[in-house]
């Protein structure tokens, strides 16, 4: 059983930065695709970024250049560094884990049909203008 616990959310002004952390336990080969997802109020959950065991990262186009996903395998922590935050980045951010093909085949981009297997409870990020 994979357990994911997020931290690092908060309220910041537009243009500011935050770093989210996800503490991972119980990860296996079948959950090697790790990622961050965002859900705004009243909207569907959407993928933000994923990273596989070889540290290959992929991002949703709207976050490229501003967000960076990384992982510390020794400490079992997944990070999301978010810079130049904008009001449209507001939402609850979830850490998730799934099979490797979710990263390699891009399934993570379609959360409705390919939901990740394991989810954290989320951390709220609010950007004020």
């Amino acid at each position: 059983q994979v357990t994911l616990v997020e931290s690092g959310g908060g309220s910041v002004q537009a243009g500011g930065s935050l770093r989210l952390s996800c503490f991972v336990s119980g990860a296996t080969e079948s959950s090697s695709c790790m990622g961050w997802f965002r859900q705004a109020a009243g909207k569907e959950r959407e993928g933000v970024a994923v990273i596989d065991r070889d540290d290959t990262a992929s991002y949703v186009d709207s976050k490229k250049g501003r967000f960076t996903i990384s992982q510390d395998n020794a400490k079992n922590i997944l990070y999301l560094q978010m810079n130049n935050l904008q009001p449209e980045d507001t939402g609850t951010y979830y850490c998730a884990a799934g099979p490797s093909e979710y990263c390699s085949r891009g399934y993570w981009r379609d959360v409705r049909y390919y939901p990740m297997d394991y989810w954290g409870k989320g951390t709220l990020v609010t950007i004020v203008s």
Side-chain angles (χ1 to χ4, degrees):
Q1 181 71 22
V2 180
T3 302
L4 307 167
V5 180
E6 305 95 337
S7 66
S11 181
V12 297
Q13 289 195 326
S17 298
L18 281 174
R19 188 176 80 160
L20 304 183
S21 299
C22 173
F23 299 87
V24 183
S25 62
T28 66
E29 286 289 328
S30 64
S31 58
S32 59
C33 178
M34 303 293 300
W36 289 97
F37 295 75
R38 184 184 75 97
Q39 188 164 20
K43 300 289 182 64
E44 291 191 355
R45 194 169 299 185
E46 60 180 10
V48 173
V50 295
I51 188 167
D52 66 16
R53 60 182 301 157
D54 296 323
D55 284 338
T56 300
S58 299
Y59 299 89
V60 66
D61 287 346
S62 61
K63 311 302 184 190
K64 283 182 180 178
R66 297 192 298 121
F67 288 17
T68 302
I69 189 171
S70 62
Q71 59 190 347
D72 184 331
N73 290 323
K75 296 181 179 179
N76 293 326
I77 302 175
L78 179 73
Y79 299 103
L80 184 68
Q81 177 67 42
M82 307 185 293
N83 297 327
N84 191 23
L85 285 160
Q86 301 300 315
E88 56 265 32
D89 297 320
T90 293
T92 299
Y93 283 72
Y94 296 90
C95 175
S100 60
E101 58 266 31
Y102 276 46
C103 280
S104 62
R105 298 190 178 190
Y107 293 162
W108 65 275
R109 299 179 186 275
D110 191 344
V111 181
R112 175 182 290 188
Y113 290 103
Y114 298 101
M116 301 286 264
D117 291 338
Y118 303 98
W119 295 88
K121 293 184 177 180
T123 185
L124 180 62
V125 172
T126 304
I127 312 304
V128 296
S129 57

